[in-house]
Amino acid sequence: VKASLMCPQSSIAVDADNPQSGDRNGSPPYRILTAHAERLGSKDSCLEVCVSITAMKRIIESANKANGVGPEILQQQQQRQGRVQTRTLRKSDSLQLSSRSTTEQESNLKGDEKCMKPELHTVTITKANLTHELAIQEIMRILNHLNSQLVASIAAVGHRVVHGGSEFSEATLIDGGVVQAIGSVSHLAPLHNPANLIGIRIALDAFQNIPNVAVFDTAFHSTMPRHIYTCPLPDEYTNEYQIRNYGFHGSSVQYVSRIATKRLDALGKPSNVMIVAHLGNGASATAIVNGQSIDTTMGFTPLSGLVMGTRCGSIDPSIVNYASKAMQKSPDEVMDDLNNRSGLYGISKGDNDMRTIIQRASGGDQDAQLAIDMFIHSLAKHIVGLVVSCGRFIDALVFTAGIGENCPLIRSLTIEKIKFLLGGVQLNDTLNDDNGKRTSGIISVDQGDGCTVLVVPSDEEAMICSECERFFL
């Protein structure tokens, strides 16, 4: 479970110190709460919730000054009256990370902002067999305990939904029909959609009078051309049963590509053609031309494409039938193994965390080294294939998500393998080791108009927040 409570910048008045506020396409929204639960259903399940008390107080103060009117409505009223509201939030008040960690908060502040650290309230709950439902309920309980008035000011709830099938190509208001439609394709994303529906049902019950919005991972890839999204199968497979390539990680890729484009444009570098490598426990790479997805490595389900944490990626489909007969397992049991016991976990014999695998490999563990080698080969081969879809050399290669953002070794090994096909691009070892934190994410040696390699942190919640604004602003 990941959750954030956000205040869109379009809900904050423009002022001299924050000229981009109020611009939907400007700076990210202010993050008031972050929550991250992991290892759910196990004896080691835990939940961490962090709240910026400073940001929370400022929002409530603004609402109180307006006699109970929320800050977004207050701004609209004042704009109509030709008056500008004083700033209620500073960048330094906001949680700058969507990560579970709050220790890096200070490193995101610059100059005088370091003297204005927000007051943070952090709660860590370690509880055996914590479920998705219990985790969400705990988040709501903590927020209500801190300030129920803030909960009452929530204007919309955005939900990440991994698979939207062929029915949804954009963010959608949730009603009973949408819930049913999401459920009907849950078998295509068994690790995600059922959990997404749990969150949706809890929120629909808790927030009955505000918009609940589904933002689909598949939606960003609806621009893929027909010859790429169509599977080479008999007609009834594709037309009657809608079996096709959908693609995933859309919210993350869309956000990251926007940020990368802004950074490259500011430096006068080309940005029209790029590949985004979203490398986490789930992993994919996407080719983007002029802001639109034209090809991606995941297909009908999130199982295909790159080698992943516990998922096998693309393999010969005959393996399912063969393994079912040879091992006396049902096809469903084999598919469960491909989703939950394969990938890095299967190759390394028990680990799906790249940090642990690298540590094991550095100590001479051959299974761990094999996992790294297979991951790099899969990633490099798919990136090169996406270059074909782009139709020319790419302007940028962007790494994001847990492994992509934090693993210099994986980035270095990948570039080393494909640099001769990317115009001889080279990484700056110092910048790469620093994850591009001091260079707007850039980690490659400047080659003028050649390919630029960047690290851009993913922020799916910010993208979901932006999509929600269409329904209440």
Side-chain angles (χ1 to χ4, degrees), residues 281 308-310 342-354 356-357 360 365 368 371:
N281 191 51
M308 295 173 247
T310 64
S342 300
L344 296 175
Y345 181 88
I347 304 164
S348 70
K349 299 179 181 177
D351 278 310
N352 64 310
D353 189 319
M354 184 60 81
T356 305
I357 292 171
R360 284 175 51 189
D365 189 310

Side-chain angles (χ1 to χ4, degrees), residues 255-257 259-260 263 398-401 405 440-441 454-458:
Y255 174 83
V256 167
S257 63
I259 298 300
R263 293 179 180 180
V398 189
F399 290 92
T400 192
E405 296 170 24
S440 297
L454 301 91
V455 176
V456 176
S458 178

Side-chain angles (χ1 to χ4, degrees), residues 225-239 242-246 295 299-300 304 314 317:
R226 186 179 180 185
H227 72 278
I228 288 178
Y229 73 68
T230 301
C231 294
L233 298 170
D235 181 71
E236 64 270 21
Y237 284 66
T238 57
N239 289 325
Q242 302 298 310
I243 297 175
R244 49 159 288 180
N245 296 317
Y246 289 101
D295 197 1
F300 182 55
S304 61
S314 294

Side-chain angles (χ1 to χ4, degrees), residues 448-469:
D449 288 342
C451 180
T452 303
V453 184
L454 301 91
V455 176
V456 176
S458 178
D459 197 337
E460 292 168 312
E461 293 98 332
M463 196 69 237
I464 292 169
C465 180
S466 176
E467 292 291 292
C468 285
E469 289 183 68

